[in-house]
Amino acid sequence: MTAFGIDLGTTNSCLAYIDESGRPAVVRNSIGENTTPSVVYFERRDSVVIGSAAANAALLAPELAVRHVKRRMGRKDVDFHFHGTRYTPETISALILKELAAAAERRLGRPVRDVVITVPAYFGVAEREATRRAGEIAGLDVLDVLAEPVAAALSHQHGHPAGSPRHLLVYDLGGGTFDTTVIRVDGDDVNVVCTGGDRDLGGADWDARIRAFLLEEFTARHPRLDPTADEQFMQELWIMAEQLKKELSSARSRRRNLRFAGATVQVELTRERLEELTADLLQRTLKITEDTIDRARRQGVAGFDEVVLVGGMTRMPAVASRLEGLLAKDGPADGMPRRHEPDLAVAQGAALFALIKQVQQEDDGPDGRDGPDGRDERVADRLGISAEQAESMRSRNVTTVVPRGFGVKVIDEHDPLAATDPMRARFFVVHLLPADTPLPADSGPVVFGTVLDNQPMLEVEVWEQTRPDGTEELADNTMIGRGMLRGLPPRLPRKTPIEITFHMSETGRLSVHAVEPRSGREVRFDLQIGGMDKAAVADAKAAVARHDTTS
Ligand code: ADP
Ligand code: MG
């Protein structure tokens, strides 16, 4: 059965597979586009429109549409209501996935079930889990979720196999998210060295600046008119802003007419002006890139053999030129930024990874154990790929890292209040798994202590860093789960050792173990992050299945 890679993007989504000739191929959607806008439009109670048609329909009735849902992934406090039905970020994403899969099934005439879905490298566990659940709700078998820059590197590397170890810097600026990642490619091994990003920074922010500029130009000429209350005018301004931005990637200057309440204003936007209006936004991406490069350098990465530009926004000439400027500081040895299928590379890499996963899973199955003879042929036959492909896939090894630090909340022993009034003492987070630890990761037992004499129980609070470079202060972390170690033996003195171990699987599932070694009292818990259980997934699935999606 063919496995597929899906780039579930903030702005655009894309689906690819490895074709009969062994090359990653993008499957066009039902209207022939390579990518599908990640817009969902709730036309009627039982009819949902996805993609370009949804983006157009949203112009007239924005209140019936959802855009940029990826920015909300993993949030339990966000929901949407349309025609009496409640939707979560997962169920909205599931509708997009379902549409991509259905369109590909129609085009290829074969089922789409096994998929790898990509996520930004800095997505935390909650967002990854939410993405996986979105796939399940859409009725897909999610082989894995994969970091987008790793996918981009895989697809980039596919065309340029390398002998000696190389370092890649992936700079991905999309419509709503930015991330930058240092990747080491050594033969068949692909490793993330470190990663940084901002989930609230992307093309939409550029569009907002252009829109504000257009509005100012209009109101400067007609101070008494206020078009901001006219929703349709404002929506059209959005579209115009994005179009201008795209056109200014190739043109130097563009003119537009703004019409409102009988007044017309002609405005001109030049590329220079656009770059001025958005200089701080680009600067933010460069600062994050610089910090990420610094962290890579501390891990022994001296320079980059290649700089890979991904994401539609990297078509802006300013991106490559400013990035070149930044890299030139490190001397001319670094590879200069190259655009590599900025819209398709992530889905293509995910398709490669999906095939790798499938081959490796086949290896783990009964056929894998009866010796290597003919194994690649059997796997190849079943997957519909060549034996050479199967063999090269099997040896490929993609390691990912802990996206951000994970730890437990502890009391600051140096705070005098710790002994007298612990609840008012200073707390901070000890990261048992620091950001960038390769997965699967095991912290080994880390020893903490009880706080009070005769403490009967102990709460283990698990916290996750909110930024890869965050400190151990609570403000830089967020609580993601907790467990209670109960029934500690009586009369334990304070500072009785408690050992806590974190294990994180390759897919980002975090298992926590806390034990008081003398009595053996222990607690284990896997984090139910996002808190949607099997029954809830089944319910959501039923709700999504009811819709006839069209596009
Ligand atoms: P995402 O990963 O968020 O889904 P994409 O990689 O598809 O996003 O990038 C979408 C963004 O790229 C949008 O903001 C879009 O306006 C922008 N974009 C697309 N083409 C161009 C272009 N030629 N010039 C500038 N920006 C572009
Ligand atoms: Mg993207």
Side-chain angles (χ1 to χ4, degrees):
M1 163 141 10
T2 315
F4 294 83
I6 300 181
D7 172 3
L8 180 60
T10 310
T11 325
N12 297 300
S13 297
C14 182
L15 180 146
Y17 73 114
I18 304 304
D19 71 12
E20 288 64 24
S21 64
R23 272 190 289 271
V26 166
V27 186
R28 291 174 184 276
N29 68 15
S30 48
I31 54 169
E33 300 164 323
N34 276 329
T35 63
T36 301
S38 308
V39 184
V40 181
Y41 180 75
F42 293 87
E43 187 171 46
R44 290 187 307 275
R45 169 173 286 275
D46 278 337
S47 159
V48 184
V49 181
I50 284 124
S52 292
N56 292 335
L59 278 181
L60 298 173
E63 71 284 359
L64 291 178
V66 182
R67 303 172 171 270
H68 298 155
V69 70
K70 189 171 176 178
R71 281 185 163 174
R72 305 273 189 298
M73 282 304 257
R75 291 265 304 265
K76 279 181 275 176
D77 56 336
V78 173
D79 58 10
F80 309 87
H81 295 266
F82 297 101
H83 310 299
T85 304
R86 174 179 173 270
Y87 298 86
T88 60
E90 286 99 315
T91 49
I92 300 278
S93 302
L95 288 167
I96 300 169
L97 291 169
K98 234 173 118 65
E99 172 59 29
L100 291 172
E105 285 185 349
R106 284 194 297 269
R107 194 167 282 277
L108 297 177
R110 61 179 101 163
V112 175
R113 210 188 66 212
D114 291 348
V115 300
V116 164
I117 306 174
T118 59
V119 293
Y122 58 86
F123 254 23
V125 171
E127 296 95 322
R128 281 165 203 251
E129 281 292 301
T131 303
R132 188 183 282 279
R133 277 196 306 273
E136 287 171 15
I137 293 167
L140 301 169
D141 251 330
V142 184
L143 300 174
D144 210 341
V145 294
L146 176 68
E148 285 156 14
V150 173
L154 277 175
S155 97
H156 184 78
Q157 182 214 11
H158 189 67
H160 321 67
S164 55
R166 304 197 305 168
H167 288 105
L168 268 60
L169 177 70
V170 180
Y171 174 106
D172 180 350
L173 186 55
T177 52
F178 168 66
D179 65 85
T180 179
T181 308
V182 175
I183 286 172
R184 182 185 156 87
V185 181
D186 188 355
D188 283 328
D189 291 343
V190 182
N191 297 299
V192 173
V193 177
C194 61
T195 178
D198 186 336
R199 72 180 298 177
D200 280 319
L201 183 57
D205 299 299
W206 270 255
D207 302 347
R209 293 288 172 84
I210 299 170
R211 192 165 83 146
F213 165 80
L214 295 173
L215 262 181
E216 266 169 38
E217 294 284 295
F218 185 88
T219 47
R221 301 267 283 282
H222 296 281
R224 268 192 288 263
L225 291 179
D226 177 16
T228 53
D230 185 328
E231 207 154 353
Q232 188 172 341
F233 179 84
M234 294 302 283
Q235 283 284 331
E236 279 163 8
L237 224 48
W238 254 128
I239 303 294
M240 189 185 285
E242 191 189 1
Q243 267 175 1
L244 277 170
K245 176 188 70 179
K246 288 185 182 172
E247 289 175 19
L248 289 173
S249 289
S250 44
R252 287 269 161 194
S253 155
R254 276 282 175 267
R255 285 211 180 90
R256 284 290 194 281
N257 286 324
L258 303 179
R259 289 191 187 86
F260 179 72
T264 302
V265 173
Q266 192 182 68
V267 293
E268 179 176 17
L269 183 60
T270 61
R271 192 189 288 171
E272 284 67 36
R273 188 85 181 94
L274 168 63
E275 289 175 2
E276 275 165 33
L277 290 170
T278 55
D280 60 307
L281 298 174
L282 188 52
Q283 185 52 38
R284 268 165 71 193
T285 72
L286 295 171
K287 173 79 176 77
I288 294 169
T289 305
E290 205 169 9
D291 290 348
T292 307
I293 293 174
D294 279 346
R295 277 166 44 223
R297 191 169 292 132
R298 288 200 289 278
Q299 296 181 51
V301 178
F304 298 99
D305 301 285
E306 228 132 349
V307 180
V308 182
L309 300 181
V310 194
M313 284 293 292
T314 59
R315 291 216 162 86
M316 283 193 353
V319 170
S321 64
R322 290 295 308 278
L323 204 50
E324 263 170 39
L326 177 78
L327 294 166
K329 286 199 300 193
D330 294 337
D334 288 334
M336 282 299 130
R338 282 215 275 164
R339 239 168 264 130
H340 169 67
E341 298 275 23
D343 304 315
L344 315 178
V346 170
Q348 292 175 337
L352 284 164
F353 189 66
L355 187 55
I356 295 171
K357 275 271 149 183
Q358 237 182 4
V359 170
Q360 289 174 347
Q361 278 183 3
E362 291 283 333
D363 279 4
D364 294 340
D367 283 355
R369 267 179 240 123
D370 56 13
D373 298 343
R375 180 173 64 184
D376 290 333
E377 280 79 1
R378 274 198 302 279
V379 168
D381 198 40
R382 190 168 315 168
L383 299 180
I385 57 177
S386 73
E388 294 73 40
Q389 270 181 321
E391 135 94 291
S392 102
M393 290 296 164
R394 192 161 40 75
S395 56
R396 190 105 21 124
N397 192 359
V398 177
T399 322
T400 45
V401 294
V402 176
R404 316 181 219 174
F406 287 87
V408 291
K409 185 171 94 169
V410 300
I411 213 161
D412 183 357
E413 274 182 79
H414 302 297
D415 184 336
L417 284 174
T420 56
D421 189 359
M423 294 322 287
R424 288 183 48 220
R426 172 181 175 264
F427 285 93
F428 66 104
V429 177
V430 173
H431 291 132
L432 278 75
L433 298 177
D436 304 332
T437 309
L439 292 177
D442 200 310
S443 68
V446 179
V447 182
F448 296 91
T450 53
V451 177
L452 302 170
D453 287 330
N454 307 318
Q455 193 172 323
M457 57 180 153
L458 176 126
E459 181 161 56
V460 182
E461 270 191 19
V462 180
W463 287 59
E464 176 181 21
Q465 256 176 341
T466 46
R467 305 179 283 133
D469 56 345
T471 68
E472 302 204 321
E473 294 300 322
L474 290 188
D476 277 348
N477 296 269
T478 175
M479 197 190 63
I480 56 167
R482 53 161 68 129
M484 204 57 110
L485 174 51
R486 293 177 203 279
L488 292 176
R491 287 182 297 284
L492 284 182
R494 65 186 280 254
K495 297 195 178 173
T496 294
I498 303 287
E499 293 178 1
I500 300 183
T501 309
F502 276 18
H503 177 87
M504 193 179 280
S505 75
E506 263 170 312
T507 57
R509 210 171 288 270
L510 181 67
S511 310
V512 179
H513 178 223
V515 59
E516 193 281 297
R518 298 249 303 275
S519 64
R521 295 298 302 193
E522 62 178 359
V523 60
R524 285 176 197 277
F525 55 98
D526 277 352
L527 283 183
Q528 272 297 307
I529 295 147
M532 201 198 246
D533 58 21
K534 283 262 171 333
V537 170
D539 281 354
K541 228 181 200 168
V544 169
R546 261 210 321 276
H547 293 290
D548 80 276
T549 61
T550 48
S551 66

